[in-house]
Amino acid sequence: MSERPLNDDNGSTGPDDNDRFEGIVDAETELPQALDSARAGETPTPDLAVIEAGSRTLRTQAGPPQGDIPARPEDPETDRALREVETELAGRWGETKLDPSLVRIEALMDILGHPQRAYPSIHITGTNGKTSTARMIESLLSAFDLRTGRYTSPHVQSITERISLDGAPISAERFIETYRDIKPYVEMVDDREDYRLSFFEVMTAMAYAAFADAPVDVAVVEVGMGGTWDATNVIDASVAVVTPISLDHTDRLGSTPGDIAGEKGGIVKQDATVVLAQQPVDAAQVLLKRSVEVDATVAREGMEFGVVSREVAVGGQLLTLRGLGGEYPEVFLPLYGAHQAHNAAVALAAVEAFFGIGSQHARTLDIDTVRRAFAQVTSPGRLEVVRRSPTVVLDAAHNPAGAQVTAEAVTEAFGFSRLIGVVGASADKDVRGLLEAFEPVFAEVVVTRNSTPRSMDPDELAAVAVEVFGAERVQVEPRLDDALEAAITLAEEEAEFSGAGVLVTGSVITVGEARLLLGKG
């Protein structure tokens, strides 16, 4: 039995049967190895120690901790056991080294008795908006008295965030128990296959097992990457959701939206209902062709459902949505941006389709229940306000398309007189495109890095930023805590009540670490 080599003689990191899936490393969806290693009991570096402890100045000015993201377990024994599990998982093949095969995960599901077949599922793919849409779907299903399981990735701060029951991350104790329950079976598959199960494959199996054990009435499952070969794709979901597709992971999924749609369309199963967000033309064509091939029913945003109207409101926005069964007026969504309104329309159509509305029933869902569900939605790290005076907002945009909608949303929702950016991005991303999307809204930008090795070197990031913004608008702070302090200082230069703000962005990991520094979780 051998561990898959990280680099072979040719410099490849993936299977050699498909070059497009080789060399797979991605800091946006991979377990933050350095930070989690420190949390798993290894001696942290000075930078990581600062991230764990937080900055006293920043922490004292932060608001109360958010309950949506769990902190470390208070019980020392539980914390030790969780660190052991994190260490074992982190030692596996990285979750974004995509192997175009479901052999290992299918073998594990077979040994476990196919827990993923114990409940119906809603499967979600796309480039941006998957997690927010999943959380909205979960909230709607819960409001209609269904017990839900939600599997999303990556996590913002705690690995336990990835598996949720009844709208909340599972406890550390349950996470540990689930891992220990399936570990013997994971080792059986490890011994039989050429390569050990990956981090993401084991996490996926844990989620499916936890949902079956609960048991849940319905699982809401977000793909890790792509769709066809994603470990989550051993489910046979009755509803498949495709959020907007744009260019990301192009070295693995394809160089055009149409190519990427070909991979993501693999989650569309025979006789399913497909809920499509607005898509580029070539992506839409590919997804519609796939739907015809498997006799799936299609619901398209802008045709069968959509956003009728939206207006900015205090703490979010007020929507009128058109679902598959009719209109839903005066729906308050406590999230910012037009993109979240479109995510809400997609989520509503997905839940309607799950209940048979539009095919078996011609009616709307109970409007009061829908309103209550959307009013309770949260999405940590997505235009999340974590500090006031000046206002500090976190957003996990990490590609040009995500940055564009974030830039539009922060302008609409906050109306800052002056906005300072803090950007820590991954080296393998389209960093120039990301910065260009933010250039019109950032008065100045502080470039930095997060704790992972794949974070772009601050000086290299600064060189690109200078080309986009000009040298006078760029500041370099290699440590994230220093970058936050510098940005807050720049925002405060216009005086306390000037309406200046700070946006921290560029990576899920950067946002998660900034959240820790600002006392959240």
Side-chain angles (χ1 to χ4, degrees):
M1 236 294 300
S2 62
E3 178 70 80
R4 181 180 290 274
L6 291 180
N7 287 282
D8 61 24
D9 293 339
N10 297 320
S12 172
T13 58
D16 58 11
D17 57 335
N18 190 329
D19 292 340
R20 206 171 65 196
F21 293 92
E22 293 184 13
I24 299 165
V25 174
D26 183 69
E28 299 310 324
T29 52
E30 184 170 14
L31 178 70
Q33 299 281 351
L35 187 58
D36 282 353
S37 294
R39 291 172 181 165
E42 299 175 13
T43 302
T45 65
D47 283 354
L48 289 176
V50 170
I51 290 169
E52 284 289 346
S55 163
R56 181 174 300 172
T57 303
L58 294 170
R59 187 179 290 277
T60 56
Q61 297 182 62
Q66 300 285 314
D68 214 10
I69 293 184
R72 297 297 311 185
E74 293 184 4
D75 177 62
E77 186 61 26
T78 302
D79 188 56
R80 182 197 60 77
L82 180 60
R83 290 179 190 276
E84 288 180 357
V85 173
E86 290 171 329
T87 300
E88 290 184 25
L89 287 169
R92 288 185 171 273
W93 193 30
E95 65 178 302
T96 59
K97 289 183 175 63
L98 181 63
D99 180 3
S101 169
L102 297 177
V103 170
R104 289 185 303 277
I105 187 66
E106 287 175 341
L108 181 56
M109 291 295 100
D110 186 52
I111 294 175
L112 291 174
H114 295 286
Q116 80 280 16
R117 297 178 183 173
Y119 39 80
S121 302
I122 296 176
H123 206 177
I124 306 168
T125 190
T127 303
N128 293 307
K130 296 187 296 295
T131 298
S132 293
T133 302
R135 296 174 75 96
M136 293 179 196
I137 291 172
E138 173 191 54
S139 186
L140 283 162
L141 293 169
S142 296
F144 284 99
D145 298 323
L146 293 180
R147 188 168 200 201
T148 58
R150 172 171 52 85
Y151 180 51
T152 54
S153 61
H155 58 269
V156 178
Q157 287 174 212
S158 171
I159 195 172
T160 60
E161 297 165 36
R162 293 172 178 246
I163 304 173
S164 290
L165 292 172
D166 301 318
I170 62 174
S171 66
E173 292 83 358
R174 191 163 194 164
F175 187 91
I176 296 162
E177 180 184 1
T178 302
Y179 176 76
R180 288 175 175 170
D181 283 346
I182 74 166
K183 182 178 177 180
Y185 306 101
V186 169
E187 291 173 344
M188 288 174 61
V189 175
D190 284 344
D191 290 339
R192 283 170 27 184
E193 299 296 329
D194 292 335
Y195 305 107
R196 299 172 68 206
L197 286 149
S198 70
F199 164 83
F200 190 71
E201 287 169 332
V202 176
M203 281 295 308
T204 301
M206 287 174 62
Y208 290 161
F211 297 162
D213 184 62
V216 301
D217 297 314
V218 56
V220 182
V221 178
E222 174 189 335
V223 303
M225 186 191 304
T228 301
W229 305 114
D230 189 74
T232 62
N233 204 29
V234 291
I235 58 174
D236 190 12
S238 61
V239 178
V241 176
V242 186
T243 65
I245 290 174
S246 59
L247 298 183
D248 201 5
H249 305 299
T250 53
D251 55 335
R252 281 139 278 178
L253 303 180
S255 58
T256 68
D259 290 339
I260 295 171
E263 295 298 332
K264 294 185 182 295
I267 73 165
V268 180
K269 304 297 174 58
Q270 188 74 33
D271 299 322
T273 298
V274 189
V275 178
L276 298 180
Q278 292 179 347
Q279 303 290 347
V281 173
D282 58 341
Q285 290 173 337
V286 171
L287 293 168
L288 290 172
K289 180 180 178 182
R290 167 66 180 177
S291 300
V292 170
E293 290 171 349
V294 296
D295 292 324
T297 302
V298 178
R300 301 157 295 177
E301 184 182 6
M303 300 291 287
E304 285 77 27
F305 69 93
V307 178
V308 176
S309 66
R310 56 180 293 270
E311 57 184 275
V312 177
V314 176
Q317 51 192 311
L318 192 64
L319 310 175
T320 295
L321 302 176
R322 186 177 76 252
L324 304 178
E327 284 199 1
Y328 298 80
E330 298 180 357
V331 174
F332 176 69
L333 180 67
L335 301 176
Y336 301 107
H339 63 295
Q340 295 289 19
H342 291 287
N343 289 340
V346 170
L348 177 61
V351 173
E352 285 184 312
F354 181 79
F355 286 129
I357 294 174
S359 57
Q360 302 170 29
H361 311 290
R363 58 179 175 81
T364 60
L365 298 172
D366 179 72
I367 183 61
D368 291 332
T369 304
V370 169
R371 287 171 178 158
R372 183 173 72 253
F374 276 118
Q376 296 172 347
V377 169
T378 61
S379 194
R382 278 76 179 177
L383 285 175
E384 178 187 17
V385 177
V386 293
R387 186 191 190 274
R388 298 288 187 180
S389 298
T391 298
V392 178
V393 182
L394 307 180
D395 191 86
H398 56 270
N399 55 48
Q404 183 64 47
V405 297
T406 295
E408 294 171 358
V410 76
T411 300
E412 174 190 74
F414 296 96
F416 292 122
S417 61
R418 185 165 176 261
L419 182 61
I420 310 300
V422 176
V423 178
S426 298
D428 60 343
K429 292 294 181 180
D430 181 359
V431 174
R432 179 178 295 276
L434 180 89
L435 293 172
E436 287 175 345
F438 282 122
E439 191 277 331
V441 299
F442 285 166
E444 297 181 62
V445 60
V446 182
V447 297
T448 187
R449 66 170 303 152
N450 57 54
S451 68
T452 62
R454 294 171 185 87
S455 185
M456 190 171 191
D457 179 82
D459 291 331
E460 294 179 8
L461 180 55
V464 180
V466 166
E467 294 178 2
V468 175
F469 289 85
E472 70 283 355
R473 295 168 63 192
V474 178
Q475 182 171 333
V476 184
E477 294 291 349
R479 290 168 56 108
L480 181 57
D481 59 331
D482 292 336
L484 292 171
E485 291 281 15
I488 288 171
T489 300
L490 288 169
E492 289 175 335
E493 285 180 354
E494 287 193 0
E496 184 178 357
F497 302 107
S498 66
V502 175
L503 175 64
V504 184
T505 190
S507 163
V508 175
I509 301 163
T510 300
V511 164
E513 293 178 357
R515 226 173 171 273
L516 279 171
L517 285 166
L518 291 159
K520 300 297 182 182

